[in-house]
């Protein structure tokens, strides 16, 4: 097939009809130009699909004739020698343009419409600037985070590690218990006298009208001090006892009997924690159960009780407090660890694959579910603690006081205020675990939740 077989192209400017293609030696690129085109130049490699020619708008030729010409002959065409090319050479194009979106799409730069090169260049420049700004922002955030974090990484299960966990327990328990003081206040009042209020909202409304917002938060100061001390002992000692008992049992036995290990570690920790909580709990219950409040604050309450009853007066509710808090804490830690482990077992990937928000979200969910179980298990003892602190007479034996109170309220009386306590303890426990685990993440520690399986012996 010769060039003369190609359909002629009409030169609009000269009004002529004739072939603008002339045979020339073979070259790498085929350039087809018409004299009336001022902005369009059709360029493509040999053997490229003819649709590129048609989309360029330069001319229209029968596809089979032109394609056969390109494939079966060594002839190529180019513009007349006296006509300057209307497209930039490849050497004049910046590398960012040649190796950009066009290269990724599988097309060469010469297959695109030349008037779009400037648009591609502007888009690439904008992308480069946006990426630079993004990278700079990430570096600034990482720099700020590294400044906020401790400079030296704390070794796990070292003295500093347990001290950090102790501080995390202060944050977890002190803040959350103080925040729900209004709920605890009404619960205590209804436990002391079940006929005092008909509902929680009626109680809050009545207290607010009589004493204002301050009255609703009666007992907040002994709550803050007492549960901060309890949280410090509870979480710090739990981490210590869990590690100690695990080492004593060995890795395989510790994993096999992990639930028993959680129960033993949490019971040991709570036994010590209640020694720190009991004096403040005595002041809190008397402040919230008495009407009007007999104390002006925590210091006044402690000094008044010691002055009248001695130091023993601060601990006369210790046994029922152990009876309430030890089962509560055993359920709180063992069920939390088990629930969190079950959640991660059902999620794709490992716990370490998830970010801070996801891990703390799992901690809150597991803590809330564990808190519901805790409230049910410990509620009868909680009612008895409130009754003993309010109605136990000086010098009265513990067993005699419990028997007398039980005869007055009966078995059903041990469950007064349970719905309020379920809501309060569920929220409390969920928030406590969320705060505690977030603090551990901040310090660079792994979050709480299930023992890893023992490594296989090779």
């Amino acid at each position: 097939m010769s060039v003369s077989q190609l359909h002629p192209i009409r030169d609009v400017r000269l009004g002529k009809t004739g072939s603008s293609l002339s045979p020339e030696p073979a070259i790498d690129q085929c350039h087809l130009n018409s004299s009336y085109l001022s902005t369009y130049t059709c360029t493509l490699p040999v053997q490229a699909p003819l649709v590129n020619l048609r989309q360029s708008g330069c001319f229209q030729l029968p596809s089979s004739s032109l394609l056969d010409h390109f494939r079966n002959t060594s002839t190529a065409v180019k513009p007349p020698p006296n006509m300057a090319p209307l497209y930039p050479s490849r050497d004049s194009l910046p590398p960012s343009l040649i190796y950009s979106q066009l290269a990724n799409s599988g097309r060469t730069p010469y297959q695109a419409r030349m008037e779009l090169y400037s648009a591609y260049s502007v888009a690439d420049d904008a992308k480069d600037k946006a990426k630079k700004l993004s990278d700079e922002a990430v570096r600034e955030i990482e720099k700020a985070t590294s400044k906020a974090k401790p400079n030296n990484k704390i070794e796990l299960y070292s003295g500093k590690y347990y001290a950090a966990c102790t501080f995390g327990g202060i944050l977890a328990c002190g803040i959350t218990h103080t925040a729900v003081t209004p709920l605890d206040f009404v619960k205590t009042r209804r436990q002391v006298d079940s006929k005092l209020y008909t509902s929680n909202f009626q109680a809050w409304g009545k207290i607010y009208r009589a004493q204002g917002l301050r009255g609703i938060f009666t007992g907040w100061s002994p709550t803050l001090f007492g549960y901060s001390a309890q949280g410090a002992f509870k979480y710090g000692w739990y981490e210590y006892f869990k590690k100690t008992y695990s080492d004593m049992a060995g890795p395989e036995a510790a994993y096999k009997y992990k639930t028993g290990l959680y129960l033993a570690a949490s019971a040991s920790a709570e036994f010590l924690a209640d020694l720190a909580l009991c004096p403040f709990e005595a002041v809190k219950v008397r402040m919230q159960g008495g009407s009007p409040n007999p104390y002006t604050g925590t210091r006044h309450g402690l000094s008044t009780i010691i002055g009248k009853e001695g130091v023993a007066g601060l601990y006369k509710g210790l046994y029922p407090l152990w009876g309430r808090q030890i089962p509560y804490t055993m359920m709180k830690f063992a069920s939390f660890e088990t629930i969190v482990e079950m959640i991660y077992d059902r999620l794709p990937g490992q716990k370490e694959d998830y970010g801070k928000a996801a891990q703390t979200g799992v901690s809150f969910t597991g803590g809330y579910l564990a808190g519901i179980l805790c409230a049910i298990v410990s509620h009868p003892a909680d009612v008895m603690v409130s009754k003993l602190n309010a109605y136990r007479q000086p010098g009265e034996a513990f067993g005699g006081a419990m028997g007398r109170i039980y005869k007055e309220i009966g078995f059903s009386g041990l469950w007064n205020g349970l719905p309020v306590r379920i809501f309060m303890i569920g929220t409390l426990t969920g928030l406590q675990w969320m705060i505690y685990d977030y603090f551990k993440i901040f310090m660079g520690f792994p979050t709480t939740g299930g023992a890893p399986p023992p490594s296989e012996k090779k």
Side-chain angles (χ1 to χ4, degrees):
M1 175 180 145
S2 64
V3 177
S4 61
Q5 292 177 290
L6 297 175
H7 285 244
I9 298 177
R10 179 177 296 277
D11 190 327
V12 177
R13 186 178 63 181
L14 301 177
K16 298 178 181 179
T17 300
S19 175
S20 62
L21 307 177
S22 59
E24 293 287 344
I27 57 176
D28 292 338
Q29 301 288 336
C30 173
H31 308 290
L32 301 176
N33 296 293
S34 182
S35 58
Y36 69 90
L37 294 174
S38 61
T39 58
Y40 287 87
T41 300
C42 180
T43 63
L44 82 166
V46 176
Q47 297 186 2
L50 188 59
V51 67
N52 292 323
L53 293 173
R54 288 178 171 175
Q55 291 176 353
S56 67
C58 298
F59 59 85
Q60 294 186 0
L61 296 174
S63 60
S64 59
S65 300
L66 186 61
L67 197 56
D68 291 340
H69 174 70
F70 287 160
R71 289 177 176 172
N72 300 326
T73 69
S74 60
T75 304
V77 291
K78 66 179 182 178
N82 60 348
M83 178 181 289
L86 300 179
Y87 57 89
S89 66
R90 185 180 183 87
D91 296 335
S92 66
L93 297 176
S96 62
L97 174 60
I98 298 175
Y99 305 102
S100 61
Q101 293 179 348
L102 294 175
N104 295 333
S105 66
R107 298 185 301 172
T108 65
Y110 285 102
Q111 287 176 271
R113 290 171 60 178
M114 303 307 295
E115 69 270 19
L116 298 181
Y117 280 160
S118 60
Y120 278 118
S121 180
V122 172
D124 286 341
D125 290 343
K127 280 187 176 182
D128 291 340
K129 290 180 181 179
K131 189 175 185 304
K132 289 179 181 178
L133 291 174
S134 176
D135 293 341
E136 186 177 352
V138 170
R139 285 194 297 269
E140 291 296 328
I141 292 173
E142 290 178 351
K143 188 185 298 182
T145 305
S146 62
K147 288 182 179 179
K149 285 186 177 182
N151 293 328
N152 298 324
K153 186 176 180 180
I154 298 176
E155 182 182 356
L156 292 178
Y157 311 118
S158 63
K160 291 183 178 180
Y161 170 78
Y162 294 124
C165 293
T166 299
F167 183 75
I170 293 175
L171 296 177
C173 291
I175 295 173
T176 53
H177 275 278
T178 304
V180 296
T181 297
L183 278 172
D184 188 42
F185 181 26
V186 171
K187 177 204 63 119
T188 303
R189 281 273 178 99
R190 297 188 72 181
Q191 287 176 346
V192 172
D193 186 358
S194 60
K195 300 178 181 179
L196 188 59
Y197 306 115
T198 58
S199 68
N200 297 329
F201 291 102
Q202 189 260 349
W204 287 321
K206 189 174 181 179
I207 295 169
Y208 181 78
R209 287 190 294 270
Q211 305 175 39
L213 185 62
R214 184 176 181 178
I216 294 178
F217 278 88
T218 298
W220 72 268
S221 59
T223 299
L224 176 62
F225 295 127
Y227 283 93
S228 294
Q230 187 225 28
F233 278 67
K234 179 190 295 186
Y235 284 90
W237 282 111
Y238 174 73
E239 298 285 354
Y240 173 79
F241 285 123
K242 185 170 70 168
K243 173 62 175 174
T244 302
Y245 295 162
S246 296
D247 292 342
M248 292 171 60
E252 293 184 1
Y255 182 75
K256 184 177 181 180
Y257 303 105
K258 55 189 174 183
T259 303
L261 187 146
Y262 302 148
L263 293 171
S266 57
S268 302
E270 188 60 37
F271 180 86
L272 299 175
D274 289 343
L275 295 175
L277 171 63
C278 193
F280 299 99
E281 183 74 4
V283 174
K284 178 186 77 74
V285 170
R286 297 189 188 193
M287 289 178 70
Q288 294 179 340
S291 184
N293 178 5
Y295 311 127
T296 58
T298 303
R299 176 184 287 185
H300 180 229
L302 292 172
S303 60
T304 302
I305 294 174
I306 293 174
K308 291 182 179 180
E309 307 173 34
V311 177
L314 297 174
Y315 287 93
K316 70 179 185 180
L318 179 60
Y319 294 149
L321 185 64
W322 274 336
R324 180 191 77 183
Q325 288 297 125
I326 291 179
Y328 165 86
T329 303
M330 293 171 69
M331 180 63 72
K332 173 181 178 178
F333 282 84
S335 60
F336 172 79
E337 297 248 22
T338 303
I339 291 171
V340 167
E341 185 177 2
M342 292 172 62
I343 291 174
Y344 282 117
D345 285 344
R346 285 159 175 76
L347 291 176
Q350 301 296 322
K351 180 172 70 172
E352 293 75 15
D353 299 333
Y354 295 90
K356 295 179 182 179
Q359 291 194 33
T360 52
V362 171
S363 298
F364 177 80
T365 303
Y368 197 96
L369 295 175
I372 294 175
L373 301 176
C374 294
I376 296 172
V377 168
S378 62
H379 190 73
D382 183 63
V383 173
M384 191 59 68
V385 168
S386 300
K387 293 287 187 180
L388 286 171
N389 278 294
Y391 295 128
R392 185 180 177 184
Q393 299 172 1
E396 186 178 13
F398 171 73
M402 281 191 63
R404 176 177 58 82
I405 292 172
Y406 184 76
K407 288 180 181 179
E408 293 176 359
I409 64 175
F411 180 77
S412 60
L414 294 175
W415 303 98
N416 286 336
L418 178 60
V420 180
R421 194 160 187 268
I422 287 177
F423 175 75
M424 184 185 76
I425 297 300
T427 306
L428 267 177
T429 310
L431 291 175
Q432 285 173 7
W433 279 116
M434 184 180 73
I435 293 171
Y436 181 69
D437 274 349
Y438 187 86
F439 179 77
K440 291 181 75 174
I441 293 174
F442 175 79
M443 295 297 295
F445 305 149
T447 58
T448 314
S455 57
E456 297 182 359
K457 295 182 180 179
K458 296 183 180 180

